[in-house]
Every structure is written in structure tokens, then in C-alpha cells.
Amino acid sequence: MKKATQLKVDIGRIKSDILTLAAIGKNEHDRGIYRPAFSAEDMAGKRWLLHRIEENGLTPASDGAANISGILKGECDSPRVFVGSHIDTVPCAGMLDGTLGVVVGLECLRAISAAGISPKQTLELIAFSDEEGRFGGTFGSEAFTGTLTMEKVERATDLGGTRLWDAMLAHGLDPMKSLDARRRPEEINAYLELHIEQGPILDQKNLQAGIVESITGLRSWSLRFKGEANHAGTTPMDYRKDAFMGLADFAHEVPRILEENGSQNSRATIGKAEILPGAPNSVPGAVEFSLDFRDPSTQVLTDLSQAFQKALAAISRRRGLMFEFNVQGEIHPVSSDERLTAMLEKNAKDLGIDALRMLSGAAHDAQLVGRIAPMAMVFVPSKGGLSHSPSEWTAWEDIEAGANLMLATLHELAMHPLE
Ligand SMILES: [Zn+2]
């Protein structure tokens, strides 16, 4: 058997696939790519991918959630070793977010097959639908892992009011079949995903790859302080129930709460606020704002939740306000499988790639899969940390290094799946 690190990817082919896909949904005016999930452009991307899978001698397939697969059969067909990401984009996207992981996965399977290697375990490339969230996000990986509900399929709408249901029907897809995309944990031996970092760390440290140890969890709240609107001229300062002052106090407490109750990976952001009634000559009667906080530990997220609520209650008492909050969203943190991260670290070393163990601050399809099966992710550097923009970029030699690390690890797993 060839040593796992001897096989090499063809960077020319990766480049050509990325550039071909980048032309689908490209807006010549702003140079951005527009392939929101279940748009005509997204469907064209999916058709191109199916065709490309077939051209490369792999077996093309798609499921009820319109996830696209390319299969390289092994002696043992289940459980399978998966490699994946997504090809849908945010509006005005760059060419690498998601796409890179799919194109690299395709190249890895092609390279293994072209080397005449017959895998012991079946390898499957998968491109998940709507990771970016036109209809809420991670639709394909939720269907794949069995966390999607029919209620969500029926309710999901985009910002323009188009229903997911209608968008699927318009492309001849049956939304009723979305839940059929489910795979059971025992059908998944391992899941690997390569993705651009979308942050500045690898670029700043001048490293070629990151091995993700965990993906951060997220809680997002909408909050409201209620006080009393009153005349800005006639209401004495100590008679006021000024809702904005409540927010100002709270914003000021956020760094202290993170320091006392969080970890070094904790983040908290008040990204949106509205003062009501919103007149220069009125004492604010209410203020509505958002709070987004993240940490890779569920315990820390719970501690932070309690500390935020305690602070909100204390501020309300002090200023004669009432507060209410609603949970808008919750994403559970997930850890990578230690056997997979160890395998990636060893292969990086053999390939002479400087890799950093790190945390993912953004959500990915891997976060869903990691809840039911062994998962690991590889990051490649994002130039200047930029993402969700046409300026998103990674040097070809870094892409090649990351792709070779994926290839060595997929080759190893194909021959020696996780026990
Ligand atoms: Zn992505």
C-alpha cells in the first residue's frame, strides 16, 4: 500500500473547478457571486457538480433535501467516510466559502480513484443544501442528521417572503421528501470538512492550516428594557425611568461578565438597538436590542446566560425598569473527534505543513454532523481574515497544502476506518 501522504492532489484541476463554479451566479457589476439556496443559479451549480462527479468516474446521487453526493465504492459500503461542505452562497459572496471544501473533496476522491486504489470503506463526497441560510441555514445537514422537522420545512421563508416549499417545487423537488435525506449515526464512520478560516488567525501567524478542535456554540437573544417615556425638559433626572440608560449600563457590564463568567474564547455582541419612541426631546420609554454570545463550552454558555440575566435584573431594579428577553436562536457547541484531529496532525507533520489547533468561531455543516458522528475540520488561511465578500481569498499554495492534508487523511480512513 502507498503511504497515505504520497498521494498528491492536482492543484490545476482544483483551480479550474473553483473558477468554473465561480462563474455560475457571478454578477459582473459588483464581482460578487449570487447562488442563494434553491435559486436558479444554485440549481445550476448543483447540476454542474453532478456532471463533474460523473465525469470523474464517481457515482453521482442526490437525496430528498437536494444534497449532492459523489460516491467512490469500497469493499465495505457502510458505514461510509464522508467529506463535504456546501456550494450555496450568501448574496455577493466570494468564490471559496463552502465551494472550496466541495471541490477539494471531489479532487481527493478522484485522486484516490485515479491512483488505482480500491478503498476498503466507501467514500462519499456531499454538498449540503442551504448552509448559508436563505431559508434559515444548515438545511441540508439538518436533514442529513435527522434534526430537520416537517414543521420547519413548511414554515421556512426567505427575506423576500418566498417559501422554501415553493422554491423547491419550482425546481421539481418534492419538499415532502426532505426528511428522507436522513442518515443514521451507524452509517457514518467519519466526516471531514475543509473550509476557509473566515478569520485572521492563520494569515497573521503565517500558517498554512488549522485543525479545528471545536466549533463554538451560540445563543442569540432579543431583549427589551421598558421604562417610561416622558418630556426631556420637564422630567427631573432622578424621576426618570430611562430605558436607554438601562442599555448603557448593561453594555458597560458585558466585558466584566465575560471576564468573570466566560472563557478566553467567549464573545458577546450587542449588534442592534432601537430607542423608543426615538425622539430627541423624549426620555426613552423603551429600548429593544439584540445580544449574541458564543463559547465552545455549554457550561460556560449557561453561566453567561445566568450572569446576563442577573445583571439585567439588577439594572432594572436600580433604574425602575422592567426587562424581558426572548431566545431567538441556539446552536450547540461541538468538539472534533480526537482520533481524527490526531490523524490530521500526524499527516500535517509528514507533509511538512505547519498546522495550528484552533477553534471555529463560525457555524458549519460539520457542527450538525459532529453531534451524531465523529467529525473534524481543516481550515486554510483567509487573506486579511475576509469572508462573505468578493475579496475573500486564499493563496493557491495554501489551498494545495490543505487539500493534500485532506487527501492523506481520507486515504488513511478509506483503508483504516475509525474502529
Ligand atoms: Zn461556509
Side-chain angles (χ1 to χ4, degrees):
M1 184 193 133
K2 274 194 175 174
K3 206 174 163 227
T5 48
Q6 278 172 358
L7 275 182
K8 289 290 181 310
V9 297
D10 178 342
I11 187 66
R13 194 181 312 261
I14 291 174
K15 206 167 171 174
S16 133
D17 282 350
I18 287 171
L19 296 175
T20 307
L21 205 42
I24 304 175
K26 174 108 174 227
N27 178 318
E28 288 306 331
H29 185 67
D30 62 15
R31 316 290 297 159
I33 299 166
Y34 292 74
R35 279 199 312 270
F38 299 110
S39 62
E41 293 76 15
D42 181 39
M43 297 311 288
K46 284 176 189 283
R47 281 194 303 276
W48 173 85
L49 181 60
L50 278 170
H51 177 71
R52 196 80 183 109
I53 285 166
E54 202 165 13
E55 258 181 357
N56 283 318
L58 307 170
T59 309
S62 67
D63 62 23
N67 296 320
I68 303 296
S69 287
I71 298 152
L72 178 60
K73 275 265 164 102
E75 281 163 46
C76 177
D77 198 39
S78 184
R80 295 180 175 182
V81 173
F82 286 86
V83 55
S85 200
H86 61 95
I87 61 165
D88 68 306
T89 73
V90 293
C92 200
M95 59 173 93
L96 298 176
D97 182 350
T99 294
L100 182 63
V102 172
V103 165
V104 164
L106 176 62
E107 172 59 22
C108 290
L109 266 54
R110 193 208 63 85
I112 292 170
S113 154
I117 295 160
S118 28
K120 198 174 147 210
Q121 218 67 24
T122 292
L123 295 170
E124 181 171 343
L125 162 73
I126 186 157
F128 292 112
S129 296
D130 195 19
E131 192 272 347
E132 293 290 8
R134 176 182 174 197
F135 295 104
T138 56
F139 168 75
S141 45
E142 282 179 25
F144 181 85
T145 53
T147 38
L148 186 70
T149 61
M150 210 13 100
E151 194 200 350
K152 190 172 169 185
V153 180
E154 282 170 356
R155 279 191 173 188
T157 49
D158 70 5
L159 291 173
T162 301
R163 295 173 67 214
L164 167 65
W165 196 273
D166 297 331
M168 288 183 81
L169 285 177
H171 295 294
L173 300 165
D174 181 356
M176 296 277 281
K177 290 192 175 146
S178 306
L179 270 52
D180 299 350
R182 181 181 178 193
R183 311 282 181 105
R184 292 173 197 288
E186 55 273 24
E187 295 175 79
I188 309 165
N189 181 260
Y191 173 82
L192 290 182
E193 179 167 350
L194 174 110
H195 206 281
I196 53 168
E197 183 198 337
Q198 302 177 281
I201 296 169
L202 293 172
D203 189 37
Q204 273 174 7
K205 291 187 187 282
N206 207 13
L207 295 170
Q208 285 195 300
I211 297 169
V212 175
E213 288 190 303
S214 56
I215 308 176
T216 202
L218 176 159
R219 294 192 187 177
S220 115
W221 292 355
S222 67
L223 300 107
R224 183 183 168 93
F225 272 123
K226 207 181 159 330
E228 205 171 71
N230 218 329
H231 196 288
T234 59
T235 318
M237 297 310 281
D238 53 351
Y239 274 79
R240 296 181 178 206
K241 293 176 178 174
D242 185 329
F244 174 72
M245 286 302 172
L247 170 57
D249 287 355
F250 180 67
H252 202 70
E253 294 233 35
V254 167
R256 177 193 62 79
I257 291 171
L258 255 55
E259 215 170 293
E260 287 175 8
N261 305 86
S263 74
Q264 59 172 9
N265 293 315
S266 299
R267 308 279 184 270
T269 307
I270 299 170
K272 202 177 154 199
E274 194 181 1
I275 302 174
L276 300 165
N281 55 359
S282 290
V283 174
V287 58
E288 292 172 353
F289 60 103
S290 64
L291 179 67
D292 165 309
F293 58 104
R294 304 173 188 229
D295 194 89
S297 149
T298 306
Q299 184 57 52
V300 171
L301 285 171
T302 305
D303 293 348
L304 287 173
S305 298
Q306 284 166 358
F308 285 134
Q309 287 177 66
K310 218 171 138 186
L312 290 162
I315 292 163
S316 300
R317 265 198 311 277
R318 201 160 64 228
R319 292 202 173 265
L321 307 172
M322 313 241 279
F323 84 92
E324 47 191 68
F325 76 95
N326 282 304
V327 178
Q328 297 293 110
E330 190 168 356
I331 301 176
H332 300 285
V334 62
S335 297
S336 299
D337 185 271
E338 281 170 28
R339 295 163 297 174
L340 292 175
T341 51
M343 210 182 269
L344 286 165
E345 196 156 50
K346 172 188 62 100
N347 290 334
K349 210 173 159 201
D350 288 352
L351 288 160
I353 298 167
D354 270 341
L356 178 74
R357 282 184 174 255
M358 60 190 298
L359 166 81
S360 170
H364 295 288
D365 290 309
Q367 198 153 13
L368 273 297
V369 185
R371 288 176 68 185
I372 65 159
M375 167 283 290
M377 286 189 84
V378 170
F379 277 170
V380 289
S382 297
K383 280 270 171 246
L386 284 173
S387 184
H388 286 188
S389 138
S391 315
E392 181 178 272
W393 193 241
T394 303
W396 292 113
E397 52 272 31
D398 293 343
I399 290 179
E400 187 174 18
N404 278 322
L405 176 55
M406 290 291 283
L407 175 57
T409 311
L410 284 166
H411 183 196
E412 186 171 349
L413 285 167
M415 294 320 204
H416 308 282
L418 295 178
E419 300 273 313

